[in-house]
Amino acid sequence: MGACFSDVKGGMQAVGGTRYPPYGGGGSSSIIGGPNDAVDMFYRARCQQALCTPLELSMSASKLRDRDILSKSDPMAVVYLKKRDGRLEELGRTEVVLNSLDPAWIQKVSVSYQFEMVQNLVIHVYDVDTKYHNLPVKALNLKDQEFLGEATCVLSEIVTQRNCSLTINLQNKHGQVGPRNLGTLTVHAEEPVASKTVVNITFRCTNLDNKDLFSKSDPFLRISRIVETGNLVPICKTEVVNNNLNPIWRPISLSMRQFGSKENPLEIECFDFDSDGSHQFMGTLKKSIADLEKLHRDRTGANFVLPASLNRGREKVLKGQLFVEQFSEKPQFSFLDYISSGFELNFMVAVDFTASNGNPRSPDSLHYIDPSRRLNSYQQAIMDVGEVLQFYDSDRRFPAWGFGGRTYDGSVSHCFNLSPSGHEVEGVEGIMAAYSGAIHNVSLAGPTLFGQVINKAAEIAGQSLLDNNNKYYVLLIITDGVLTDLQETKDALVRASDLPLSVLIVGVGGADFKQMEILDADNGNRLESSTGRMATRDIVQFVPMREVYGGQISVVQALLEELPGQFLSYMRARDIKPLPHASGTTV
């Protein structure tokens, strides 16, 4: 049958059927068990990025201007995504609602939500001229229609509202204030329902054929979705159970986005694992999720078969059987379910004030404040990350610290407030102002120690947990140097892995950042403390800025791509559910 998918990267581990599916519901890295290469490839081939969550926007308007003489306006809405260069990319159009100043459009507009990006939406409302009513909306020339108003917002503003609904005052084009009230537009965002369902299954087999000469086979299962063309799209494989002809595998979780529907046929193949990738075929069978549920309910097994193509033109029923030991179906709450229900991401920043950054008065220094307002690497990282995360924090008040500097009282501190007042700062602009002020008042010193700022962040997260504040904390550490307290930092991170906290580290300058890669457990090796305790989850993401700016991905995308998954791993491990919904907000 040839080598199984993901042989090199997946090895003997399970792939794609993890207990914690990705935040977007399809194609991104799993929280436990490593990336699902096959599913990633499938979605990439269809231009569905792993970091995207598909959303549908529903719209309604109220008190629109009446531009018709003998009747009311016939409104239609057009949704655009504003690109970085200011261009408007059309995402879709609603239908035309006849004779209404308070339309509730049925046609939804699809958009891909990307947590790590600021996505500016522009929505235009038009009164469609009567003579064009028989044309499809896509064929309408907007220049021939009468403009009724424009609404602008950031997609993050919608998804962070209770019930994912935002009401916006309509304005003239480009935000110009008109002589009269143009009405309001309400936008509601929701994920497709299909992405919410997850099925948990435990498989076992009996009487498998032995393919090994001197021992028993080492079986694993591969599950693929059968698409309309008859081709197979691999969605999951179990781990390998060594030396066992009656194996029982660890539970797997499959989302509806992976299996399509409960009636969609799946092909379940059994292989005898071989380390060189030449796994021996042990049988196959075709069952839908509904069929597997019935097997569990009836406590019966299904026989594997040897296809006719492998048995001289005749299908052979094998004695090996597949059983469904456990089966459960439940809704899988997504990142957006939590955020839209009232959970917040609280942003914290810690800046490296060690002497290796260079004299801030010198243009060569990493801390040089350019009079022309060109941002240095520290400012760029604060702006890039802060601009994204600020939408997820309702009061937009942020702790901002420095470490490794000689502070106002002359002592070297490894966790001091950037603001002389000692209070949190307001907004990203407040962080930038406090940083600039500290550069002129704090002397650079050393060494580079992370332990104290991580412990401070953990203290805040721990207190919030006691107060039941429904907050998740994100600490951004920006540094230029090699850690002096690597083990102390590991200890602090292992302790913090039990808390609602993630740590983002940006490396600036040309130092060797190999130590940081140890802290970022992307290789699957969880951090271990000096006492031998293992981190309960990976909470660190490290990115060297020089590598990011040398490529196509932004520092924000590289830093934040794992954050929704880390958030979900914390919530799901503790069985924390989203809050009850309330009504939306007007802006």
Side-chain angles (χ1 to χ4, degrees), residues 367-433:
H367 279 309
Y368 179 66
I369 306 294
D370 195 324
S372 69
R373 297 191 175 181
R374 180 182 177 184
L375 301 181
N376 65 35
S377 295
Y378 285 92
Q379 292 171 312
Q380 190 70 56
I382 292 169
M383 283 291 293
D384 284 354
V385 178
E387 281 188 339
V388 171
L389 292 182
Q390 64 179 341
F391 293 106
Y392 301 86
D393 190 334
S394 59
D395 67 5
R396 300 194 184 183
R397 296 183 62 86
F398 310 125
W401 304 304
F403 58 92
R406 194 173 301 279
T407 57
Y408 312 99
D409 62 1
S411 64
V412 174
S413 173
H414 299 290
C415 185
F416 59 89
N417 282 295
L418 294 184
S419 170
S421 68
H423 299 135
E424 294 178 335
V425 297
E426 291 192 20
V428 179
E429 301 80 9
I431 300 175
M432 297 289 276

Side-chain angles (χ1 to χ4, degrees), residues 91-203:
L91 298 178
R93 303 180 181 188
T94 67
E95 78 279 12
V96 177
V97 176
L98 300 180
N99 298 315
S100 178
L101 302 182
D102 302 287
W105 292 283
I106 297 173
Q107 181 64 47
K108 296 176 172 61
V109 175
S110 297
V111 59
S112 291
Y113 162 72
Q114 292 179 267
F115 166 76
E116 70 285 354
M117 293 181 66
V118 177
Q119 295 171 279
N120 292 292
L121 297 180
V122 178
I123 304 168
H124 289 169
V125 181
Y126 292 92
D127 175 18
V128 176
D129 195 292
T130 307
K131 63 184 176 184
Y132 299 112
H133 285 181
N134 291 327
L135 284 178
V137 291
K138 289 184 179 179
L140 293 176
N141 187 336
L142 298 179
K143 293 179 181 178
D144 297 331
Q145 318 310 322
E146 192 143 18
F147 180 77
L148 295 179
E150 173 185 274
T152 60
C153 66
V154 176
L155 185 55
S156 302
E157 291 181 280
I158 303 173
V159 301
T160 53
Q161 299 302 319
R162 292 295 183 98
N163 208 29
C164 280
S165 291
L166 182 70
T167 299
I168 312 161
N169 291 317
L170 289 169
Q171 298 178 311
N172 287 316
K173 275 190 179 178
H174 312 302
Q176 297 171 352
V177 179
R180 53 179 293 188
N181 182 10
L182 302 183
T184 62
L185 182 83
T186 298
V187 188
H188 174 71
E190 61 183 348
E191 294 179 80
V193 175
S195 65
K196 302 288 187 184
T197 302
V198 166
V199 174
N200 299 315
I201 305 175
T202 301
F203 286 115

